[in-house]
Amino acid sequence: MGYVFMNLDATNPQTTKSDLEISEAMGTYWTNFAKFGDPNGKGVPEWPTFSDANPKVMYLGPTPHVGPVPSAEALKVLDGYFSWRRTPEGEAWAK
């Protein structure tokens, strides 16, 4: 929560410059989304809308950037499993 609300203790020796940069980006995206319904705005890289046609995610680090979904193939396996679990056969198996 300290990151989102830009409330990190800069005097704490464990708080790094990267922590403060990440917090600034997170807080800006969060505030933009709360105010305007869109995380994008002045001073932060464009955060594209996620879709099947554009499966890109935002990596929040010292330099926020857009990139591919991490472990996309593993997520497809999980999607398949949970789709099966919602079938009558999967529900019966779980009991």
Side-chain angles (χ1 to χ4, degrees):
M1 296 306 289
Y3 282 87
V4 170
F5 294 110
M6 296 184 280
N7 194 28
L8 298 179
D9 181 0
T11 64
N12 182 333
Q14 292 182 325
T15 302
T16 67
K17 181 177 181 240
S18 291
D19 289 323
L20 298 172
E21 291 167 344
I22 293 166
S23 179
E24 181 70 27
M26 286 180 84
T28 301
Y29 283 123
W30 185 279
T31 302
N32 287 344
F33 187 76
K35 287 169 117 176
F36 310 114
D38 183 346
N40 297 302
K42 185 177 179 182
V44 290
E46 181 77 11
W47 187 328
T49 301
F50 186 91
S51 69
D52 287 338
N54 186 31
K56 302 290 182 193
V57 297
M58 179 61 75
Y59 287 86
L60 294 171
T63 304
H65 63 281
V66 175
V69 175
S71 305
E73 290 305 311
L75 291 173
K76 287 178 186 176
V77 170
L78 285 174
D79 281 345
Y81 169 75
F82 285 110
S83 290
W84 173 78
R85 281 293 305 270
R86 289 188 289 272
T87 67
E89 177 189 6
E91 288 179 10
W93 176 86
K95 293 178 181 177

